[in-house]
Amino acid sequence: MSTYEQFFSDITTFAPFPYQARLGTEAWPSLLDVPTGLGKTAAVVIAWLHKRLTDDGDTGRRLVYCLPTRVLVDQTRLAAEAWVKAAAPRFRDAGRAAPSVHVLRGGELDERWQGEPESEAILIGTQDMLLSRALNRGFAMSPSRWPMHFAWLNNDAFWVFDEIQLMGVGVETSAQLQAFRDGWGVEGPSRSLWMSATVGAGQLATVDHPAPSGGFPRHTLLAEDRALDRVLERTQAKKRVILSELALGSSKKADEAAHLEALANEVATAHEERGGLTLVILNSVKRARGLRALLSKKVVELGLIHSRFRAPDRRVQEAMLAGEADRVVVATQAIEAGVDVSARTLFTELAPWPSMIQRIGRCNRYGKEAQAEVRVVDLRVEDDDALALPYDPAAMLQARGLLHDLGDDASPARLSAISFSPPVVVRPVVRRRDLLQLFDTTPDLFGNDVDVSRFIRDDQDTDVQVFWRSFEGTPAAELPGPGHGELCAVSIGAARDLVEKKLKSKRAKAKGEATKRLWAYAWDRTRGEWARVERPHPGQVLLLHVSAGGYDPELGFTGELRGDVPAVQPAEPSPRSDADQLAGDARSQGERWVELSAHLEHVEAEARELSARLDVSAADVLGRAGRWHDVGKAHPEWQRKIVQPAVDAGQPPPTPDGVWAKSPHRLRPPSGARKYLRHELASALAWLTHAPDEEPDRALIAYLLAAHHGKVRMAIRSGPQEEPAPDGRLFAHGIWDGDELPSVRQPAGASVPPTTLRLHLMQLGAGSWRELSIGLLEQHGPFRLAWLESALRAADWRASRKETEGAYDE
């Protein structure tokens, strides 16, 4: 047994298939084309672990595992955690920490991996959460964190896209992003692997990511794999195909209701005769809910799985899949890909051919059932195009023809023999100019951000996230943001129907306080408050009062305004809403007073140490940026905020005349203070005042100083609610032109002389901040520039954490 085969066996407790062994020892391909049930996830994760251990120069230190649906996320996480735990002794023997495993999803604040870019990590999430972050517009997360996730996901990262046949436009976007990384350059190896049991390379050949002359490198089963009994058992697994006599011919409400009643009878009869797990996959959440309601009168053990559940409720439903009793589970396409389940009987509506293959793969997955059966329910899309939703009618008609060619044998071997060419679909493609535009995270004058949903999912699939809370009147600014367990994904169409029609109609009949509870709210980071939403947009996080309804724990999101929604208390701490307002400065709130000079010294040291661990050439730039990063906290207005008043704690500063970087109480601007003051802008202005013009890194360090909180980056402009400066002076982010910054002590006895802050660079034209930042973007590229600002930010985090822990105390 080879070294790698032994490693694989030790981690998984079983010997690898030959293709898995080859993947761990050969160069990474672009495509992994392997039938379902043969361990693609294990093949990739364990190969990554081994290549990281052996310092493979083509394998990034972050494994980014991208999935099409939420159903797969926790399953993948549990498997990855088990494999990492088994591999941990190998990493310890090599003098290294084992990789950490994290799920990236809305409503969670997991800082560990973000603050340790030198550590190996496995990051798992859906295409919504991961691709939006890779485009610098992370859905359901703090905008000030966007640049950091953009940096870590595009540099030193190995992307794996699983079940790409279900990702739609996300495939083209992933290919374009890889082309941009190759073109602009990154810190650390960054590559992508696309995989599926029905992989198609056509979508990968995009305008900036053309297929190489010999085609994309592909890894698949060879003769030695196909000859194995374990492989034969799966690839020859018998599944009888029956075309049901039922067919839905109209999307009219009455016709659909009659059809579901007949389908419920057929499902119940088949389940009673055959037992085991009966899985029913329908194309719409609405029909799945309707069938579940009818079956509840006919079946005892019954589950419902779709993508419109809150996480705790979804887990209850998913547990039905792993049971042993005779049971029926009604599902949507959320269950198609990679779910480790094997049904004795499968009912499925007609769907595009790649989806049909995935659904059939959920039946007799491991070849253990002697009488497995697949029943296909036709949809007459030629008579009613609406029946095809969320799919294209042409793709449905093509699948119907291929089913007739298939006959009654749906074994994987037979399916692989069917010749299939996907219909040509024209999709929006993210281009270089789009990514450069997205690098600027400044909201427009109305507080809105660029919508990237068209690059992440096909139009009809874009989502918002909704959570329910109980509050009096309008929600207070202090109301925390949502935890992951509170969030429910809702299609943009359903969200708009709820907010713009149903809630609006109910508000018209309500009075007083009841009216306020019938609005949808979203966090306005410019104003630092919960604002009413008239029209939802994709990627938004909406707050509803529990009395607004729209959700049932057993059915998921219904959109029906009947009954209160049970509130969920998140198991994890919720991120505070005010941490993301432009005036927020949560990281200056600790457990002790820290002098500014000491904090500058600590961050410089952490930046240099981090650079050494990452073995990058930017150590001096990052070190000097650390020395200057918080010089702006000496601004009299900022010092007034940190010292007066000392709310939430009675502990005064150790010395009355000190200059402080951190305080042990919550910061609230005193009466009359400048609400939107950003100390990092003052730091950048001070640096530009004192750095010589011939300093080669003058512009870069200025940008890093301004950007290290993610709130002042490509643009400097006045906020819509900001108090103007007197005498018509320029003002932005709480800084007034002509403000005086006192002298600041720096590490090693150095100091910054008193500084008059000038804001002329916020004006357009030569020498402007806009010109400076665009020049840096052209010089370094978006990925490396984001990496630099995020490295400084991580150093600041580490120093702040150690200060809180007392690690620098003598």
Side-chain angles (χ1 to χ4, degrees):
M1 184 178 287
S2 73
T3 301
Y4 181 72
E5 288 173 324
Q6 186 63 58
F7 177 81
F8 190 102
S9 180
D10 290 345
I11 302 305
T12 65
T13 72
F14 55 81
F17 293 119
Y19 93 87
Q20 292 172 322
R22 294 194 303 274
L23 191 67
T25 55
E26 298 176 359
W28 289 112
S30 295
L31 296 167
L32 180 58
D33 179 7
V34 174
T36 185
L38 293 179
K40 293 189 297 294
T41 303
V44 170
V45 173
I46 294 165
W48 176 82
L49 288 168
H50 187 263
K51 291 185 178 188
R52 287 302 306 171
L53 266 174
T54 55
D55 296 319
D56 177 79
D58 200 29
T59 303
R61 73 182 70 225
R62 283 175 288 280
L63 171 60
V64 185
Y65 206 102
C66 184
L67 297 156
T69 65
R70 295 169 190 84
V71 174
L72 298 173
V73 170
D74 286 330
Q75 175 182 302
T76 305
R77 173 185 60 82
L78 290 171
E81 286 175 343
W83 295 327
V84 167
K85 182 178 180 181
R90 299 289 190 104
F91 279 87
R92 284 196 297 270
D93 290 346
R96 294 157 62 172
S100 53
V101 180
H102 309 268
V103 172
L104 273 59
R105 46 192 167 196
E108 289 195 340
L109 192 63
D110 184 350
E111 292 187 351
R112 186 156 60 99
W113 73 272
Q114 300 173 64
E116 299 177 355
E118 77 277 26
S119 300
E120 279 104 355
I122 299 176
L123 311 175
I124 304 167
T126 63
Q127 66 190 85
D128 305 73
M129 294 301 167
L130 291 175
L131 286 178
S132 64
R133 284 162 165 82
L135 291 170
N136 213 17
R137 286 300 183 280
F139 288 169
M141 66 174 291
S142 161
S144 66
R145 297 288 182 92
W146 289 346
M148 208 168 194
H149 286 228
F150 176 78
W152 301 153
L153 293 178
N154 284 302
N155 293 278
D156 210 357
F158 178 56
W159 279 77
V160 177
F161 297 92
D162 198 357
E163 308 292 3
I164 62 172
Q165 78 284 349
L166 302 177
M167 289 188 174
V169 70
V171 178
E172 284 91 344
T173 297
S174 67
Q176 285 291 99
L177 281 169
Q178 186 58 52
F180 299 156
R181 295 182 202 112
D182 293 340
W184 270 310
V186 291
E187 290 289 343
S190 298
R191 59 174 302 121
S192 299
L193 172 65
W194 294 271
M195 62 185 196
S196 169
T198 54
V199 71
Q203 283 181 265
L204 299 182
T206 59
V207 59
D208 295 303
H209 189 255
S213 57
F216 293 107
R218 182 187 296 256
H219 194 89
T220 189
L221 301 187
L222 300 180
E224 59 180 329
D225 297 282
R226 298 184 185 280
L228 294 176
D229 290 340
R230 287 186 296 157
V231 175
L232 288 170
E233 187 176 45
R234 290 161 173 76
T235 59
Q236 302 295 330
K238 299 299 182 184
K239 309 173 192 185
R240 181 184 177 213
V241 177
I242 299 174
L243 300 181
S244 173
E245 293 183 1
L246 295 177
L248 180 56
S250 166
S251 60
K252 293 180 180 178
K253 187 175 182 180
D255 293 338
E256 192 172 73
H259 170 78
L260 288 178
E261 183 68 56
L263 179 58
N265 290 332
E266 183 172 334
V267 169
T269 299
H271 179 66
E272 184 177 358
E273 293 174 352
R274 299 173 54 77
L277 170 61
T278 299
L279 182 60
V280 187
I281 305 180
L282 305 183
N283 296 352
S284 81
V285 175
K286 179 183 175 183
R287 285 201 293 275
R289 285 200 310 262
L291 182 63
R292 188 262 183 206
L294 293 169
L295 285 172
S296 65
K297 306 170 186 176
K298 306 173 185 293
V299 176
V300 175
E301 295 290 334
L302 179 64
L304 174 65
I305 295 175
H306 56 70
S307 60
R308 310 308 182 192
F309 276 105
R310 296 185 298 201
D313 301 325
R314 185 177 66 246
R315 285 193 290 269
V316 171
Q317 300 297 323
E318 290 173 359
M320 296 289 293
L321 293 173
E324 297 293 335
D326 292 347
R327 62 211 186 278
V328 176
V329 175
V330 181
T332 64
Q333 51 269 44
I335 204 173
E336 283 179 12
V339 177
D340 192 8
V341 62
S342 182
R344 181 174 299 167
T345 306
L346 170 72
F347 283 80
T348 175
E349 288 184 333
L350 181 69
W353 189 244
S355 291
M356 291 301 297
I357 292 177
Q358 292 300 318
R359 295 179 186 191
I360 292 169
R362 302 313 112 199
C363 179
N364 198 17
R365 180 173 172 86
Y366 298 110
K368 304 296 186 182
E369 297 284 352
Q371 301 294 325
E373 193 171 277
V374 176
R375 299 194 186 190
V376 180
V377 179
D378 197 12
L379 301 176
R380 297 199 181 106
V381 296
E382 65 271 30
D383 298 328
D384 188 342
D385 283 357
L387 291 175
L389 294 174
Y391 303 117
D392 178 69
M396 304 277 278
L397 293 173
Q398 180 191 40
R400 185 192 291 162
L402 292 172
L403 278 169
H404 284 288
D405 294 341
L406 183 68
D408 64 356
D409 176 14
S411 67
R414 174 65 183 136
L415 287 169
S416 65
I418 298 294
S419 177
F420 166 71
S421 297
V424 176
V425 179
V426 178
R427 295 186 173 102
V429 176
V430 63
R431 300 300 308 273
R432 289 170 63 94
R433 63 179 177 274
D434 296 313
L435 198 72
L436 291 174
Q437 180 186 12
L438 291 169
F439 190 85
D440 187 354
T441 53
T442 309
D444 65 23
L445 294 176
F446 300 98
N448 299 319
D449 297 299
V450 178
D451 179 15
V452 297
S453 58
R454 67 190 184 279
F455 300 132
I456 293 172
R457 283 194 186 270
D458 295 333
D459 289 346
Q460 62 267 31
D461 291 332
T462 49
D463 288 348
V464 300
Q465 302 285 328
V466 180
F467 71 108
W468 289 261
R469 289 273 181 84
S470 179
F471 51 84
E472 298 297 325
T474 56
E478 290 77 17
L479 185 75
H484 165 67
E486 296 178 276
L487 290 172
C488 176
V490 177
S491 70
I492 186 62
R496 287 175 176 168
D497 181 65
L498 176 68
V499 172
E500 299 173 29
K501 296 179 182 178
K502 295 180 179 179
L503 285 175
K504 182 179 180 181
S505 175
K506 199 168 182 179
R507 281 197 306 272
K509 303 172 185 176
K511 295 180 180 180
E513 290 297 308
T515 304
K516 297 178 182 178
R517 294 196 294 267
L518 295 173
W519 280 99
Y521 297 88
W523 181 252
D524 186 326
R525 61 179 169 130
T526 302
R527 294 173 172 82
E529 62 185 25
W530 292 97
R532 293 177 179 178
V533 173
E534 302 280 357
R535 183 173 178 79
H537 59 76
Q540 197 169 32
V541 178
L542 300 180
L543 164 63
L544 296 178
H545 193 275
V546 292
S547 64
Y551 183 88
D552 182 280
E554 293 186 351
L555 300 176
F557 182 81
T558 64
E560 301 300 324
L561 307 184
R562 293 194 297 267
D564 287 5
V565 177
V568 171
Q569 293 300 321
E572 69 279 359
S574 300
R576 295 194 58 83
S577 302
D578 62 355
D580 188 43
Q581 58 181 296
L582 294 182
D585 215 341
R587 288 195 171 274
S588 295
Q589 301 160 196
E591 296 181 4
R592 56 175 66 196
W593 291 94
V594 179
E595 286 190 301
L596 178 56
S597 58
H599 181 62
L600 297 176
E601 180 179 357
H602 299 157
V603 175
E604 178 181 4
E606 294 293 338
R608 293 186 184 279
E609 181 182 353
L610 179 59
S611 300
R613 290 185 178 183
L614 291 167
D615 191 25
V616 295
S617 58
D620 189 56
V621 166
L622 290 173
R624 286 188 292 161
R627 172 181 291 236
W628 278 80
H629 80 291
D630 271 357
V631 161
K633 284 186 175 180
H635 193 289
E637 284 288 316
W638 202 90
Q639 286 297 305
R640 189 154 72 100
K641 179 174 73 170
I642 199 171
V643 174
Q644 301 173 356
V647 296
D648 302 335
Q651 181 183 348
T655 56
D657 57 350
V659 180
W660 306 101
K662 310 282 182 182
S663 85
H665 58 74
R666 186 176 173 204
L667 303 185
R668 293 177 183 168
S671 177
R674 302 180 199 173
K675 183 178 179 181
Y676 294 100
L677 188 140
R678 296 308 317 165
H679 65 272
E680 60 268 34
L681 175 57
S683 300
L685 297 177
W687 162 260
L688 288 172
T689 299
H690 297 293
D693 291 341
E694 62 273 15
E695 161 64 56
D697 295 313
R698 182 173 185 269
L700 176 59
I701 291 176
Y703 174 84
L704 297 181
L705 300 180
H708 81 272
H709 283 299
K711 298 180 180 181
V712 183
R713 299 179 70 246
M714 298 289 287
I716 298 175
R717 66 176 185 225
S718 307
Q721 302 295 310
E722 190 169 349
E723 177 188 359
D727 308 323
R729 285 183 280 167
L730 295 173
F731 66 97
H733 297 295
I735 306 297
W736 296 351
D737 188 65
D739 278 350
E740 296 291 337
L741 196 71
S743 176
V744 179
R745 286 192 299 115
Q746 289 183 302
S751 65
V752 179
T755 309
T756 301
L757 302 179
R758 295 300 182 190
L759 279 170
H760 60 278
L761 78 175
M762 70 181 287
Q763 298 174 309
L764 298 179
S768 69
W769 183 264
R770 187 71 179 173
E771 182 186 63
L772 176 152
S773 56
I774 290 175
L776 290 170
L777 195 55
E778 293 173 349
Q779 177 184 354
H780 299 278
F783 305 122
R784 284 196 171 109
L785 186 57
W787 187 94
L788 287 167
E789 67 175 282
S790 298
L792 176 62
R793 196 170 182 182
D796 189 15
W797 285 13
R798 292 152 86 115
S800 298
R801 184 182 69 248
K802 289 181 179 180
E803 288 164 349
T804 297
E805 296 169 349
Y808 298 114
D809 295 348
E810 296 182 353

